[in-house]
């Protein structure tokens, strides 16, 4: 396989490396309030685009079928919100015996208690040819579940509590994940219907 073919096949990994390199060279471009406005372009535009594209590419039957994989969803959510936080907690017990900064360890535990990523999980699953519909459901469901579960995990493992703006987080997830996905599905359904009507008209004309 030639270099160009390899780059085309691994475009996502190459893109990640390029973006990280660009961020290293010019970090001020991507800071909050900077030229890229990540608080808008990433939080809203990028995530909405990803789920809108998923809505366009997936059949409604595939999404409906993915909802029925209860054991898969149970495994994913349990692994993400139970097994992984506990595993990180046990690892940090060992790392606490070293000279690693205490706040760094607390930061690792905090990250370990986070719900599954909304956008990257879907992109990576699609890149390797996995079950995109199941990834979409678990990303969305896990994010909604994390609104309640993550603060509880932080309270258990770190003994810290904080106020969580449930309504704003819920509305943001709904508008950037659920709505674009539904719009994509409706767009696909309308396009398919139009195509079928055109083919039927052509057939009658013949």
């Amino acid at each position: 396989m030639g270099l160009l073919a390899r780059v085309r096949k691994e475009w996502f990994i190459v893109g990640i490396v390029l973006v990280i390199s660009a961020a290293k060279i010019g970090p001020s471009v991507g800071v909050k309030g900077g030229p890229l406005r990540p608080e808008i372009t990433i939080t809203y535009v990028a995530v909405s685009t990803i789920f809108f594209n998923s809505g366009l590419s997936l059949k409604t039957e595939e999404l409906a079928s993915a909802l029925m994989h209860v054991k898969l969803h149970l495994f994913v959510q349990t692994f993400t919100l139970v097994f992984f936080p506990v595993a990180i907690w046990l690892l940090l017990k060992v790392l606490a015996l070293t000279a690693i900064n205490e706040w760094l360890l607390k930061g690792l535990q905090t990250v370990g208690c986070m719900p599954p990523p909304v956008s990257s999980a879907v992109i990576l699953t699609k890149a390797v040819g996995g079950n995109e519909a199941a990834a979409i459901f678990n990303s969305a469901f896990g994010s909604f579940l994390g609104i309640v579960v993550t603060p509880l995990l932080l309270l258990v493992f770190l003994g810290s509590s904080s106020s969580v703006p449930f309504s704003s987080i819920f509305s943001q997830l709904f508008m950037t994940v659920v709505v674009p996905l539904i719009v994509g599905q409706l767009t696909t359904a309308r396009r398919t219907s139009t195509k079928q009507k055109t083919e039927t008209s052509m057939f009658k004309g013949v």
Side-chain angles (χ1 to χ4, degrees):
M1 182 181 294
L3 179 61
L4 184 59
R6 173 65 66 178
V7 171
R8 287 179 177 175
K9 182 179 180 180
E10 306 294 344
W11 63 271
F12 186 69
I13 302 300
V14 173
I16 291 177
V17 173
L18 291 176
V19 169
I20 293 175
S21 301
K24 177 68 175 178
I25 296 172
S28 60
V29 177
V31 298
K32 185 176 182 179
L36 290 182
R37 296 283 181 177
E39 65 273 16
I40 297 175
T41 57
I42 302 299
T43 305
Y44 294 98
V45 178
V47 175
S48 298
T49 301
I50 290 170
F51 281 91
F52 176 71
N53 182 63
S54 296
L56 289 176
S57 60
L58 287 173
K59 295 180 180 179
T60 304
E61 293 79 8
E62 293 176 339
L63 287 173
S65 176
L67 294 177
M68 298 293 97
H69 296 167
V70 178
K71 291 183 179 179
L72 173 62
H73 306 323
L74 182 62
F75 170 78
V76 171
Q77 300 304 326
T78 301
F79 184 88
T80 304
L81 296 173
V82 178
F83 174 80
F84 196 71
V86 172
I88 293 294
W89 179 74
L90 293 174
L91 175 62
L92 295 184
K93 287 294 183 182
V94 177
L95 295 179
L97 302 176
T98 66
I100 298 178
N101 186 279
E102 177 187 359
W103 288 103
L104 177 59
L105 298 180
K106 289 184 177 181
L108 290 174
Q109 183 65 71
T110 301
V111 173
C113 294
M114 293 293 107
V118 176
S119 54
S120 58
V122 176
I123 294 176
L124 290 171
T125 301
K126 186 175 182 178
V128 299
N131 190 333
E132 185 182 357
I136 289 174
F137 175 81
N138 280 287
S139 295
F141 181 69
S143 296
F144 284 110
L145 196 62
I147 298 176
V148 176
V149 176
T150 295
L152 293 177
L153 290 174
L154 293 176
L155 181 62
V156 171
F157 291 114
L158 297 178
S160 59
S161 60
S162 60
S163 59
V164 180
F166 292 103
S167 58
S168 62
I169 295 176
F170 185 89
S171 60
Q172 178 183 330
L173 286 172
F174 185 80
M175 293 303 297
T176 58
V177 175
V178 179
V179 172
L181 184 65
I182 293 175
V183 172
Q185 284 286 289
L186 292 175
T187 303
T188 300
R190 183 176 181 180
R191 187 168 56 186
T192 302
S193 177
T194 302
K195 183 179 178 180
Q196 290 177 345
K197 289 181 179 179
T198 303
E199 291 177 349
T200 301
S201 299
M202 292 177 62
F203 179 75
K204 289 182 178 179
V206 174

